[in-house]
Amino acid sequence: MDLTIKHCNNIDDATLSLDVGKLNIKYGPNGTGKSTVAKAIEFAVSDKQKLSTLRPFKHRAGALESAVTPSIEGADALKSIAVFNEEYVSQFVFKQDEVVKNSFDIFIRNSEYDKKMAEIESLVSDIKDAFNKNQNIDQVLRDLNDLSESFGKSQTGYSKAGRIGKGIGSGNKLEHVPEKLTRYSQFIKSDMNVKWIKWQIDGNEYLNISTACPYCTSPTENNKDTILAVSEEYDAKSIEHLNILQGIFTRLGKYFSAETVQQFDALIKNKSGLKKEEIAYLTGLKGQVDTLSEKL
């Protein structure tokens, strides 16, 4: 079988001989046109309109574009073609997760499989509905996730920059208000403590304008150190972390054992900061929380 290829990429005119019924091997250096020959034969058999994509670059968008048409002659006897090239290898052979594309549908899936899967689906449908429509389970999952995320991102399972580290890592200053700030206890322990602390700290920049308190205009000579001590001991973000952490624990506490509730409560209310063994206990709890969340 003789094939004549004209005006295809770098090939102006070439004749190629094939022995029918035998394995034909054509070899040559890169750029000599081997891939072009394969594409020309493929397009001639499967879609002749695609031959135009092989028009040489030098004849594109020029006066000869309509006159120079890629063509291949002698391939009429070929009715089908399979091309084994780099694209085929990438798409079908060496896929990341499976050797053959759609191997599941080819080797496993049939009418019997679909029937069995329908039976299983009917058996677990009630369980699925229980999870999908149960707001309590949704809340538990959110709380478990929030508690896990409170440990921060670290390979050890605990980060000082996480919500727990920021909130109670150096002690719970909502439970243990420093003695010099006891007069502010009601504000610090109130439900509006985050807003109050932020408001109080933001007001510090006005202290140097006058000797009068920027909040009540009373003299500040004897109280300035106490006023500034709030910003030294507290920051609004850490208190916000602590409030969130206490809320999560309150909601999850009913699912913990009595011993866990007691130990966790003591850790949240600690005065001097978390010790190494206490951090180890908390990271162990995180592992159990993550396991439970995954199972749910």
Side-chain angles (χ1 to χ4, degrees), residues 142-204:
R142 285 194 295 269
D143 289 337
L144 289 173
N145 183 65
D146 288 343
L147 181 57
S148 179
E149 290 183 348
S150 295
F151 285 83
K153 295 181 179 180
S154 172
Q155 291 183 342
T156 63
Y158 173 83
S159 169
K160 292 181 179 180
R163 185 178 293 147
I164 292 177
K166 290 282 190 181
I168 62 174
S170 300
N172 187 327
K173 292 183 179 180
L174 293 184
E175 288 288 332
H176 309 282
V177 178
E179 186 175 349
K180 58 185 174 182
L181 296 177
T182 52
R183 70 172 70 177
Y184 293 128
S185 292
Q186 287 184 307
F187 298 103
I188 293 172
K189 293 186 177 184
S190 73
D191 292 338
M192 300 180 65
N193 49 22
V194 175
K195 289 185 177 180
W196 180 82
I197 290 171
K198 187 177 186 302
W199 171 81
Q200 203 276 351
I201 294 174
D202 287 345
N204 287 347

Short mmCIF file of all heavy atoms in Angstrom, two decimals, residues 142-204:
data_model
loop_
_atom_site.label_atom_id
_atom_site.label_comp_id
_atom_site.label_asym_id
_atom_site.label_seq_id
_atom_site.Cartn_x
_atom_site.Cartn_y
_atom_site.Cartn_z
N ARG A 142 -20.23 20.06 64.04
CA ARG A 142 -19.63 21.40 64.00
C ARG A 142 -18.81 21.67 65.26
O ARG A 142 -17.71 22.22 65.19
CB ARG A 142 -20.73 22.46 63.85
CG ARG A 142 -21.32 22.55 62.44
CD ARG A 142 -22.13 23.82 62.27
NE ARG A 142 -23.30 23.84 63.13
CZ ARG A 142 -24.50 23.37 62.77
NH1 ARG A 142 -24.66 22.83 61.57
NH2 ARG A 142 -25.52 23.44 63.59
N ASP A 143 -19.36 21.26 66.42
CA ASP A 143 -18.65 21.49 67.67
C ASP A 143 -17.36 20.67 67.74
O ASP A 143 -16.33 21.15 68.20
CB ASP A 143 -19.55 21.16 68.86
CG ASP A 143 -20.67 22.18 69.05
OD1 ASP A 143 -20.50 23.31 68.57
OD2 ASP A 143 -21.70 21.83 69.64
N LEU A 144 -17.43 19.41 67.29
CA LEU A 144 -16.23 18.58 67.27
C LEU A 144 -15.16 19.19 66.37
O LEU A 144 -13.97 19.22 66.71
CB LEU A 144 -16.58 17.16 66.80
CG LEU A 144 -17.39 16.28 67.75
CD1 LEU A 144 -17.79 14.98 67.06
CD2 LEU A 144 -16.60 15.99 69.03
N ASN A 145 -15.60 19.67 65.21
CA ASN A 145 -14.66 20.29 64.28
C ASN A 145 -14.08 21.57 64.87
O ASN A 145 -12.87 21.83 64.75
CB ASN A 145 -15.38 20.60 62.96
CG ASN A 145 -14.45 21.19 61.92
OD1 ASN A 145 -13.52 20.55 61.46
ND2 ASN A 145 -14.71 22.43 61.54
N ASP A 146 -14.94 22.38 65.52
CA ASP A 146 -14.45 23.62 66.13
C ASP A 146 -13.45 23.33 67.25
O ASP A 146 -12.45 24.04 67.40
CB ASP A 146 -15.63 24.43 66.70
CG ASP A 146 -16.47 25.07 65.60
OD1 ASP A 146 -15.97 25.15 64.46
OD2 ASP A 146 -17.61 25.48 65.88
N LEU A 147 -13.74 22.30 68.05
CA LEU A 147 -12.83 21.94 69.13
C LEU A 147 -11.49 21.48 68.56
O LEU A 147 -10.42 21.86 69.06
CB LEU A 147 -13.44 20.85 70.01
CG LEU A 147 -12.59 20.39 71.20
CD1 LEU A 147 -12.25 21.57 72.10
CD2 LEU A 147 -13.31 19.30 71.98
N SER A 148 -11.54 20.65 67.52
CA SER A 148 -10.30 20.18 66.90
C SER A 148 -9.49 21.34 66.33
O SER A 148 -8.27 21.41 66.51
CB SER A 148 -10.63 19.17 65.78
OG SER A 148 -9.46 18.72 65.15
N GLU A 149 -10.17 22.27 65.66
CA GLU A 149 -9.47 23.42 65.08
C GLU A 149 -8.92 24.35 66.15
O GLU A 149 -8.00 25.13 65.88
CB GLU A 149 -10.42 24.18 64.15
CG GLU A 149 -10.77 23.43 62.87
CD GLU A 149 -11.65 24.25 61.93
OE1 GLU A 149 -12.16 25.30 62.39
OE2 GLU A 149 -11.80 23.85 60.76
N SER A 150 -9.48 24.27 67.37
CA SER A 150 -9.01 25.13 68.46
C SER A 150 -7.57 24.82 68.87
O SER A 150 -6.93 25.63 69.53
CB SER A 150 -9.93 24.99 69.68
OG SER A 150 -11.24 25.46 69.39
N PHE A 151 -7.08 23.65 68.51
CA PHE A 151 -5.71 23.28 68.85
C PHE A 151 -4.69 23.94 67.94
O PHE A 151 -3.50 23.92 68.22
CB PHE A 151 -5.54 21.76 68.79
CG PHE A 151 -6.17 21.04 69.95
CD1 PHE A 151 -7.52 20.74 69.93
CD2 PHE A 151 -5.43 20.66 71.04
CE1 PHE A 151 -8.12 20.07 71.00
CE2 PHE A 151 -6.00 20.00 72.11
CZ PHE A 151 -7.36 19.71 72.09
N GLY A 152 -5.16 24.54 66.84
CA GLY A 152 -4.25 25.19 65.90
C GLY A 152 -3.57 24.19 64.99
O GLY A 152 -3.77 22.97 65.10
N LYS A 153 -2.77 24.69 64.06
CA LYS A 153 -2.10 23.85 63.08
C LYS A 153 -0.67 23.57 63.54
O LYS A 153 0.15 24.47 63.60
CB LYS A 153 -2.11 24.53 61.71
CG LYS A 153 -3.52 24.69 61.12
CD LYS A 153 -3.47 25.35 59.76
CE LYS A 153 -4.88 25.47 59.18
NZ LYS A 153 -4.88 26.11 57.84
N SER A 154 -0.41 22.33 63.86
CA SER A 154 0.93 21.92 64.29
C SER A 154 1.05 20.42 64.15
O SER A 154 0.08 19.68 64.36
CB SER A 154 1.17 22.33 65.74
OG SER A 154 2.38 21.78 66.22
N GLN A 155 2.24 19.94 63.82
CA GLN A 155 2.47 18.50 63.70
C GLN A 155 2.33 17.80 65.04
O GLN A 155 2.02 16.62 65.11
CB GLN A 155 3.86 18.24 63.11
CG GLN A 155 4.00 18.65 61.65
CD GLN A 155 5.36 18.30 61.08
OE1 GLN A 155 6.31 18.05 61.81
NE2 GLN A 155 5.47 18.29 59.76
N THR A 156 2.55 18.52 66.13
CA THR A 156 2.43 17.93 67.46
C THR A 156 0.98 17.84 67.92
O THR A 156 0.68 17.15 68.90
CB THR A 156 3.21 18.76 68.49
OG1 THR A 156 2.64 20.08 68.58
CG2 THR A 156 4.67 18.88 68.08
N GLY A 157 0.08 18.53 67.22
CA GLY A 157 -1.33 18.53 67.62
C GLY A 157 -1.72 19.72 68.47
O GLY A 157 -2.90 19.93 68.75
N TYR A 158 -0.73 20.53 68.88
CA TYR A 158 -1.02 21.70 69.71
C TYR A 158 -0.13 22.85 69.28
O TYR A 158 1.09 22.71 69.17
CB TYR A 158 -0.77 21.39 71.19
CG TYR A 158 -0.87 22.61 72.11
CD1 TYR A 158 -2.10 23.05 72.57
CD2 TYR A 158 0.27 23.31 72.49
CE1 TYR A 158 -2.20 24.16 73.40
CE2 TYR A 158 0.19 24.42 73.32
CZ TYR A 158 -1.05 24.84 73.78
OH TYR A 158 -1.15 25.94 74.59
N SER A 159 -0.76 24.01 69.04
CA SER A 159 -0.01 25.19 68.65
C SER A 159 -0.32 26.33 69.62
O SER A 159 -1.48 26.56 69.97
CB SER A 159 -0.39 25.61 67.22
OG SER A 159 0.14 26.90 66.92
N LYS A 160 0.71 27.04 70.04
CA LYS A 160 0.51 28.18 70.93
C LYS A 160 -0.31 29.28 70.26
O LYS A 160 -0.90 30.13 70.94
CB LYS A 160 1.86 28.74 71.39
CG LYS A 160 2.63 27.81 72.31
CD LYS A 160 3.95 28.44 72.75
CE LYS A 160 4.71 27.52 73.69
NZ LYS A 160 6.00 28.13 74.13
N ALA A 161 -0.33 29.26 68.93
CA ALA A 161 -1.08 30.27 68.19
C ALA A 161 -2.54 29.89 67.99
O ALA A 161 -3.32 30.66 67.46
CB ALA A 161 -0.42 30.52 66.83
N GLY A 162 -2.92 28.67 68.42
CA GLY A 162 -4.30 28.22 68.27
C GLY A 162 -5.20 28.83 69.32
O GLY A 162 -4.78 29.55 70.23
N ARG A 163 -6.49 28.53 69.21
CA ARG A 163 -7.49 29.11 70.12
C ARG A 163 -7.23 28.70 71.56
O ARG A 163 -7.35 29.51 72.48
CB ARG A 163 -8.89 28.68 69.66
CG ARG A 163 -10.03 29.29 70.45
CD ARG A 163 -11.36 28.85 69.88
NE ARG A 163 -11.56 29.40 68.55
CZ ARG A 163 -12.21 28.78 67.58
NH1 ARG A 163 -12.70 27.56 67.79
NH2 ARG A 163 -12.36 29.35 66.40
N ILE A 164 -6.86 27.43 71.78
CA ILE A 164 -6.58 26.98 73.14
C ILE A 164 -5.32 27.64 73.68
O ILE A 164 -5.29 28.11 74.83
CB ILE A 164 -6.44 25.44 73.18
CG1 ILE A 164 -7.81 24.79 72.90
CG2 ILE A 164 -5.91 24.97 74.52
CD1 ILE A 164 -7.77 23.27 72.84
N GLY A 165 -4.28 27.70 72.84
CA GLY A 165 -3.04 28.33 73.26
C GLY A 165 -3.22 29.79 73.61
O GLY A 165 -2.69 30.28 74.62
N LYS A 166 -3.97 30.50 72.79
CA LYS A 166 -4.22 31.93 73.03
C LYS A 166 -5.16 32.14 74.21
O LYS A 166 -5.01 33.08 74.99
CB LYS A 166 -4.83 32.56 71.78
CG LYS A 166 -3.87 32.70 70.60
CD LYS A 166 -2.94 33.88 70.79
CE LYS A 166 -2.16 34.16 69.52
NZ LYS A 166 -1.22 35.29 69.68
N GLY A 167 -6.17 31.25 74.32
CA GLY A 167 -7.20 31.46 75.33
C GLY A 167 -6.80 31.05 76.73
O GLY A 167 -7.05 31.79 77.70
N ILE A 168 -6.17 29.86 76.88
CA ILE A 168 -5.85 29.37 78.23
C ILE A 168 -4.40 28.93 78.37
O ILE A 168 -4.00 28.45 79.43
CB ILE A 168 -6.78 28.18 78.61
CG1 ILE A 168 -6.58 27.01 77.64
CG2 ILE A 168 -8.23 28.62 78.65
CD1 ILE A 168 -7.36 25.75 78.04
N GLY A 169 -3.61 29.09 77.32
CA GLY A 169 -2.22 28.66 77.38
C GLY A 169 -1.43 29.33 78.49
O GLY A 169 -0.52 28.75 79.06
N SER A 170 -1.76 30.58 78.79
CA SER A 170 -1.08 31.33 79.86
C SER A 170 -1.97 31.52 81.07
O SER A 170 -1.70 32.37 81.92
CB SER A 170 -0.63 32.69 79.32
OG SER A 170 0.27 32.54 78.25
N GLY A 171 -3.04 30.76 81.15
CA GLY A 171 -3.96 30.88 82.28
C GLY A 171 -5.25 31.56 81.87
O GLY A 171 -5.28 32.36 80.93
N ASN A 172 -6.32 31.24 82.57
CA ASN A 172 -7.64 31.80 82.29
C ASN A 172 -7.81 33.09 83.09
O ASN A 172 -8.06 33.07 84.29
CB ASN A 172 -8.73 30.80 82.66
CG ASN A 172 -10.11 31.26 82.24
OD1 ASN A 172 -10.42 32.44 82.25
ND2 ASN A 172 -10.96 30.30 81.89
N LYS A 173 -7.68 34.23 82.42
CA LYS A 173 -7.75 35.51 83.11
C LYS A 173 -9.18 36.05 83.22
O LYS A 173 -9.37 37.17 83.71
CB LYS A 173 -6.85 36.53 82.40
CG LYS A 173 -5.37 36.20 82.54
CD LYS A 173 -4.49 37.25 81.90
CE LYS A 173 -3.02 36.88 82.08
NZ LYS A 173 -2.12 37.89 81.47
N LEU A 174 -10.13 35.26 82.77
CA LEU A 174 -11.52 35.60 83.07
C LEU A 174 -11.88 35.03 84.44
O LEU A 174 -12.59 35.66 85.23
CB LEU A 174 -12.47 35.04 82.00
CG LEU A 174 -12.37 35.65 80.61
CD1 LEU A 174 -13.44 35.06 79.69
CD2 LEU A 174 -12.52 37.17 80.65
N GLU A 175 -11.40 33.81 84.70
CA GLU A 175 -11.64 33.18 86.00
C GLU A 175 -10.75 33.80 87.08
O GLU A 175 -11.15 33.91 88.23
CB GLU A 175 -11.35 31.68 85.92
CG GLU A 175 -12.38 30.88 85.15
CD GLU A 175 -13.70 30.75 85.90
OE1 GLU A 175 -13.68 30.77 87.15
OE2 GLU A 175 -14.73 30.61 85.22
N HIS A 176 -9.54 34.19 86.69
CA HIS A 176 -8.57 34.70 87.66
C HIS A 176 -8.15 36.11 87.26
O HIS A 176 -7.10 36.32 86.62
CB HIS A 176 -7.36 33.77 87.72
CG HIS A 176 -7.71 32.33 87.93
ND1 HIS A 176 -8.08 31.82 89.15
CD2 HIS A 176 -7.79 31.29 87.05
CE1 HIS A 176 -8.34 30.53 89.04
NE2 HIS A 176 -8.17 30.18 87.77
N VAL A 177 -8.95 37.07 87.60
CA VAL A 177 -8.67 38.47 87.28
C VAL A 177 -7.52 38.94 88.16
O VAL A 177 -7.54 38.74 89.39
CB VAL A 177 -9.91 39.36 87.53
CG1 VAL A 177 -9.58 40.82 87.23
CG2 VAL A 177 -11.07 38.88 86.68
N PRO A 178 -6.47 39.53 87.57
CA PRO A 178 -5.35 40.04 88.38
C PRO A 178 -5.84 40.99 89.47
O PRO A 178 -6.79 41.75 89.27
CB PRO A 178 -4.49 40.78 87.34
CG PRO A 178 -4.79 40.09 86.05
CD PRO A 178 -6.24 39.73 86.12
N GLU A 179 -5.18 40.90 90.62
CA GLU A 179 -5.63 41.66 91.78
C GLU A 179 -5.74 43.16 91.50
O GLU A 179 -6.67 43.83 91.96
CB GLU A 179 -4.67 41.42 92.96
CG GLU A 179 -5.13 42.04 94.26
CD GLU A 179 -4.22 41.68 95.42
OE1 GLU A 179 -3.38 40.78 95.25
OE2 GLU A 179 -4.37 42.30 96.49
N LYS A 180 -4.78 43.69 90.72
CA LYS A 180 -4.80 45.13 90.45
C LYS A 180 -5.96 45.56 89.56
O LYS A 180 -6.22 46.75 89.41
CB LYS A 180 -3.48 45.55 89.80
CG LYS A 180 -3.16 44.81 88.50
CD LYS A 180 -1.79 45.19 88.00
CE LYS A 180 -1.38 44.37 86.77
NZ LYS A 180 -0.02 44.68 86.30
N LEU A 181 -6.67 44.57 89.00
CA LEU A 181 -7.80 44.90 88.11
C LEU A 181 -9.13 44.42 88.67
O LEU A 181 -10.12 44.36 87.93
CB LEU A 181 -7.57 44.27 86.72
CG LEU A 181 -6.36 44.79 85.94
CD1 LEU A 181 -6.21 44.03 84.63
CD2 LEU A 181 -6.49 46.28 85.66
N THR A 182 -9.18 44.10 89.96
CA THR A 182 -10.42 43.57 90.53
C THR A 182 -11.58 44.55 90.41
O THR A 182 -12.75 44.14 90.31
CB THR A 182 -10.21 43.23 92.02
OG1 THR A 182 -9.64 44.36 92.70
CG2 THR A 182 -9.30 42.02 92.16
N ARG A 183 -11.29 45.84 90.38
CA ARG A 183 -12.38 46.81 90.24
C ARG A 183 -13.09 46.69 88.89
O ARG A 183 -14.20 47.16 88.72
CB ARG A 183 -11.86 48.23 90.43
CG ARG A 183 -10.95 48.72 89.29
CD ARG A 183 -10.61 50.18 89.41
NE ARG A 183 -9.71 50.43 90.53
CZ ARG A 183 -9.22 51.64 90.82
NH1 ARG A 183 -9.57 52.70 90.07
NH2 ARG A 183 -8.39 51.80 91.83
N TYR A 184 -12.39 46.06 87.92
CA TYR A 184 -12.99 45.88 86.59
C TYR A 184 -13.63 44.49 86.42
O TYR A 184 -14.05 44.14 85.31
CB TYR A 184 -11.92 46.05 85.51
CG TYR A 184 -11.36 47.44 85.38
CD1 TYR A 184 -9.98 47.64 85.39
CD2 TYR A 184 -12.19 48.54 85.22
CE1 TYR A 184 -9.44 48.91 85.26
CE2 TYR A 184 -11.66 49.82 85.09
CZ TYR A 184 -10.28 50.00 85.11
OH TYR A 184 -9.77 51.25 84.98
N SER A 185 -13.69 43.71 87.47
CA SER A 185 -14.12 42.31 87.37
C SER A 185 -15.47 42.15 86.69
O SER A 185 -15.68 41.25 85.86
CB SER A 185 -14.16 41.67 88.76
OG SER A 185 -12.87 41.54 89.28
N GLN A 186 -16.42 43.01 87.05
CA GLN A 186 -17.76 42.88 86.47
C GLN A 186 -17.73 43.06 84.96
O GLN A 186 -18.47 42.39 84.23
CB GLN A 186 -18.71 43.88 87.11
CG GLN A 186 -19.11 43.52 88.54
CD GLN A 186 -20.12 44.49 89.11
OE1 GLN A 186 -19.92 45.71 89.09
NE2 GLN A 186 -21.22 43.96 89.61
N PHE A 187 -16.89 43.97 84.49
CA PHE A 187 -16.79 44.20 83.04
C PHE A 187 -16.06 43.03 82.37
O PHE A 187 -16.46 42.55 81.30
CB PHE A 187 -16.03 45.50 82.76
CG PHE A 187 -16.72 46.73 83.28
CD1 PHE A 187 -16.27 47.34 84.45
CD2 PHE A 187 -17.81 47.27 82.62
CE1 PHE A 187 -16.89 48.47 84.93
CE2 PHE A 187 -18.43 48.40 83.10
CZ PHE A 187 -18.00 49.00 84.27
N ILE A 188 -14.97 42.58 83.00
CA ILE A 188 -14.15 41.51 82.42
C ILE A 188 -14.91 40.20 82.33
O ILE A 188 -14.74 39.43 81.38
CB ILE A 188 -12.85 41.33 83.24
CG1 ILE A 188 -11.97 42.57 83.11
CG2 ILE A 188 -12.09 40.09 82.79
CD1 ILE A 188 -10.75 42.58 84.02
N LYS A 189 -15.78 39.94 83.31
CA LYS A 189 -16.52 38.69 83.34
C LYS A 189 -17.89 38.78 82.70
O LYS A 189 -18.65 37.80 82.67
CB LYS A 189 -16.67 38.22 84.79
CG LYS A 189 -15.35 37.82 85.44
CD LYS A 189 -15.57 37.23 86.82
CE LYS A 189 -14.25 36.77 87.43
NZ LYS A 189 -14.44 36.09 88.73
N SER A 190 -18.24 39.93 82.16
CA SER A 190 -19.56 40.10 81.56
C SER A 190 -19.64 39.45 80.19
O SER A 190 -18.62 39.08 79.59
CB SER A 190 -19.89 41.59 81.43
OG SER A 190 -19.13 42.18 80.40
N ASP A 191 -20.85 39.34 79.66
CA ASP A 191 -21.05 38.78 78.32
C ASP A 191 -20.52 39.72 77.24
O ASP A 191 -20.40 39.31 76.08
CB ASP A 191 -22.54 38.50 78.08
CG ASP A 191 -23.06 37.38 78.97
OD1 ASP A 191 -22.24 36.56 79.43
OD2 ASP A 191 -24.29 37.35 79.22
N MET A 192 -20.25 40.94 77.60
CA MET A 192 -19.76 41.94 76.63
C MET A 192 -18.27 42.21 76.84
O MET A 192 -17.77 43.27 76.45
CB MET A 192 -20.56 43.24 76.75
CG MET A 192 -22.06 43.07 76.49
SD MET A 192 -22.97 44.61 76.63
CE MET A 192 -22.28 45.54 75.26
N ASN A 193 -17.56 41.26 77.47
CA ASN A 193 -16.17 41.52 77.84
C ASN A 193 -15.27 41.83 76.66
O ASN A 193 -14.38 42.68 76.74
CB ASN A 193 -15.59 40.35 78.66
CG ASN A 193 -15.85 39.00 78.01
OD1 ASN A 193 -16.09 38.90 76.80
ND2 ASN A 193 -15.81 37.95 78.82
N VAL A 194 -15.48 41.14 75.53
CA VAL A 194 -14.62 41.38 74.36
C VAL A 194 -14.77 42.82 73.88
O VAL A 194 -13.77 43.53 73.64
CB VAL A 194 -14.96 40.40 73.22
CG1 VAL A 194 -14.16 40.74 71.97
CG2 VAL A 194 -14.65 38.97 73.64
N LYS A 195 -16.02 43.27 73.75
CA LYS A 195 -16.26 44.65 73.30
C LYS A 195 -15.72 45.65 74.32
O LYS A 195 -15.15 46.68 73.95
CB LYS A 195 -17.76 44.87 73.08
CG LYS A 195 -18.32 44.15 71.87
CD LYS A 195 -19.78 44.51 71.66
CE LYS A 195 -20.34 43.85 70.41
NZ LYS A 195 -21.76 44.20 70.19
N TRP A 196 -15.92 45.34 75.62
CA TRP A 196 -15.46 46.28 76.64
C TRP A 196 -13.95 46.41 76.64
O TRP A 196 -13.41 47.51 76.71
CB TRP A 196 -15.94 45.83 78.03
CG TRP A 196 -15.47 46.78 79.10
CD1 TRP A 196 -16.04 47.96 79.46
CD2 TRP A 196 -14.28 46.64 79.90
NE1 TRP A 196 -15.31 48.57 80.45
CE2 TRP A 196 -14.21 47.78 80.73
CE3 TRP A 196 -13.29 45.67 79.99
CZ2 TRP A 196 -13.19 47.98 81.65
CZ3 TRP A 196 -12.27 45.86 80.90
CH2 TRP A 196 -12.21 47.00 81.72
N ILE A 197 -13.24 45.26 76.57
CA ILE A 197 -11.78 45.29 76.57
C ILE A 197 -11.26 46.06 75.37
O ILE A 197 -10.34 46.90 75.48
CB ILE A 197 -11.21 43.86 76.59
CG1 ILE A 197 -11.48 43.21 77.95
CG2 ILE A 197 -9.72 43.85 76.29
CD1 ILE A 197 -11.17 41.73 78.00
N LYS A 198 -11.86 45.82 74.21
CA LYS A 198 -11.44 46.54 73.00
C LYS A 198 -11.70 48.04 73.17
O LYS A 198 -10.86 48.88 72.83
CB LYS A 198 -12.18 46.01 71.77
CG LYS A 198 -11.68 46.58 70.45
CD LYS A 198 -12.40 45.94 69.28
CE LYS A 198 -11.81 46.40 67.96
NZ LYS A 198 -11.85 47.87 67.80
N TRP A 199 -12.87 48.37 73.69
CA TRP A 199 -13.23 49.77 73.91
C TRP A 199 -12.28 50.43 74.89
O TRP A 199 -11.82 51.55 74.69
CB TRP A 199 -14.67 49.84 74.43
CG TRP A 199 -15.11 51.19 74.90
CD1 TRP A 199 -15.54 52.24 74.15
CD2 TRP A 199 -15.17 51.64 76.28
NE1 TRP A 199 -15.87 53.30 74.95
CE2 TRP A 199 -15.64 52.96 76.25
CE3 TRP A 199 -14.87 51.03 77.50
CZ2 TRP A 199 -15.83 53.71 77.42
CZ3 TRP A 199 -15.05 51.76 78.66
CH2 TRP A 199 -15.52 53.09 78.62
N GLN A 200 -11.96 49.71 75.97
CA GLN A 200 -11.09 50.25 77.00
C GLN A 200 -9.67 50.48 76.47
O GLN A 200 -9.06 51.51 76.71
CB GLN A 200 -11.08 49.31 78.21
CG GLN A 200 -10.70 49.95 79.54
CD GLN A 200 -9.19 50.03 79.74
OE1 GLN A 200 -8.42 49.48 78.98
NE2 GLN A 200 -8.79 50.76 80.78
N ILE A 201 -9.16 49.49 75.72
CA ILE A 201 -7.80 49.60 75.17
C ILE A 201 -7.73 50.71 74.12
O ILE A 201 -6.75 51.47 74.06
CB ILE A 201 -7.35 48.26 74.59
CG1 ILE A 201 -7.20 47.22 75.72
CG2 ILE A 201 -6.03 48.39 73.82
CD1 ILE A 201 -6.89 45.82 75.23
N ASP A 202 -8.76 50.79 73.26
CA ASP A 202 -8.77 51.85 72.24
C ASP A 202 -8.74 53.23 72.87
O ASP A 202 -8.22 54.20 72.28
CB ASP A 202 -10.02 51.71 71.36
CG ASP A 202 -9.94 50.52 70.41
OD1 ASP A 202 -8.82 49.99 70.23
OD2 ASP A 202 -10.98 50.13 69.86
N GLY A 203 -9.30 53.36 74.08
CA GLY A 203 -9.32 54.67 74.73
C GLY A 203 -8.00 55.11 75.29
O GLY A 203 -7.82 56.28 75.63
N ASN A 204 -7.02 54.19 75.37
CA ASN A 204 -5.72 54.54 75.95
C ASN A 204 -5.01 55.65 75.18
O ASN A 204 -4.24 56.42 75.76
CB ASN A 204 -4.81 53.32 76.01
CG ASN A 204 -5.24 52.35 77.10
OD1 ASN A 204 -6.05 52.68 77.95
ND2 ASN A 204 -4.70 51.13 77.06
#
